[in-house]
Amino acid sequence: QVQLVQSGAEVKKPGASVKVSCKASGYTFTHYDINWVRQATGQGLEWMGWMNPDRGDTGYAPKFQGRVTMTRNTSISTAYMELSSLRYEDTAVYYCASVSFVEKRFDFWGQGTLVTVSS
Amino acid sequence: QSVLTQPPSASGPPGQRVSISCSGSSSNIGSNYVYWYQQIPGTAPKLLIYWNNQRPSGVPDRFSGSKSGTSASLAITGLRSDDEADYYCAAWDDSLSGLYVFGTGTKVTVL
């Protein structure tokens, strides 16, 4: 069955960077885009960007442009999202999701990774 | 920050029908498909509806979606206690080189 398994919770200081991983299994990794979505406690969903695991192409939400980098290692079917210059308001649960090329459906989601920014 | 507007809450007794609206603009709902997600607190979102009114396999036909112009709606019929969750609409937005936007979210309570 399809699974996206994310790395564990992180605590970072303001100004630091965090890199969250998302390991895919149960399907061909390069056949679906990986998107990242975050959710602050008690808040709604916020889309951060997408990556095509086959070509490595990326697209980022303007809000995160310059601070976010999405990469992948196809040999281990793993996607990464790195967010730099962390601020307190970046404290949130970060989700990866596999997205079908044609229907653009966010079909499968990781379990989420809590990133806490605290001094 | 959300550009799609939903009512903050909706409710109904078991067995009733609940409808959730989602209002956008010509650059998102007006020109692209609408998606709906269900999120039970503490868990990842789950896709309910894609392409305005299509259900992925496994989603009961009690859930239905529709779209008209720059607005969309999700209807839940035969409300059940396990439908109690947050619901989000979403759409791709043609402005700013392709952005995916979520709605503000609606908390559905089963009375």
Side-chain angles (χ1 to χ4, degrees):
Chain A
Q1 76 282 20
V2 173
Q3 273 195 304
L4 296 175
V5 178
Q6 299 182 220
S7 47
E10 303 261 15
V11 179
K12 296 291 182 181
K13 293 190 184 306
S17 297
V18 68
K19 191 170 186 177
V20 179
S21 68
C22 171
K23 181 170 176 60
S25 62
Y27 72 97
T28 303
F29 180 59
T30 53
H31 288 186
Y32 288 78
D33 285 341
I34 293 288
N35 281 236
W36 291 87
V37 174
R38 76 177 187 179
Q39 185 173 39
T41 302
Q43 303 300 307
L45 302 171
E46 183 175 32
W47 180 79
M48 300 181 69
W50 63 269
M51 180 193 64
N52 179 294
D54 185 28
R55 300 185 307 270
D57 296 350
T58 56
Y60 304 137
K63 174 178 178 177
F64 301 102
Q65 198 84 25
R67 280 209 305 144
V68 70
T69 305
M70 295 177 187
T71 57
R72 87 291 190 211
N73 182 334
T74 54
S75 66
I76 56 172
S77 300
T78 300
Y80 303 93
M81 186 283 300
E82 184 169 21
L83 188 62
S84 62
S85 303
L86 289 169
R87 310 158 185 163
Y88 294 114
E89 53 267 34
D90 291 319
T91 295
V93 174
Y94 290 75
Y95 294 101
C96 62
S98 64
V99 179
S100 54
F101 291 157
V102 176
E103 297 94 342
K104 295 296 185 185
R105 298 163 21 167
F106 283 49
D107 280 318
F108 301 101
W109 294 69
Q111 82 276 18
T113 296
L114 175 62
V115 174
T116 302
V117 182
S118 173
S119 56
Chain B
Q1 180 133 31
S2 300
V3 299
L4 304 182
T5 303
Q6 300 177 231
S9 63
S11 62
Q16 287 290 85
R17 179 184 187 273
V18 163
S19 180
I20 301 168
S21 62
C22 174
S23 177
S25 68
S26 58
S27 64
N28 41 65
I29 293 178
S31 52
N32 292 292
Y33 289 117
V34 177
Y35 302 78
W36 289 92
Y37 299 88
Q38 176 194 59
Q39 186 181 34
I40 293 167
T43 70
K46 170 190 170 183
L47 178 67
L48 275 185
I49 298 288
Y50 68 100
W51 282 5
N52 304 333
N53 55 18
Q54 302 299 301
R55 284 184 306 277
S57 61
V59 174
D61 59 6
R62 300 186 299 106
F63 295 91
S64 62
S66 64
K67 171 185 149 177
S68 177
T70 59
S71 294
S73 64
L74 173 74
I76 310 172
T77 57
L79 202 58
R80 296 168 34 144
S81 58
D82 57 359
D83 295 332
E84 193 159 288
D86 296 315
Y87 292 82
Y88 295 90
C89 60
W92 291 94
D93 193 302
D94 292 337
S95 62
L96 300 171
S97 59
L99 183 74
Y100 196 66
V101 291
F102 285 99
T104 49
T106 299
K107 169 70 177 177
V108 168
T109 302
V110 181
L111 302 172

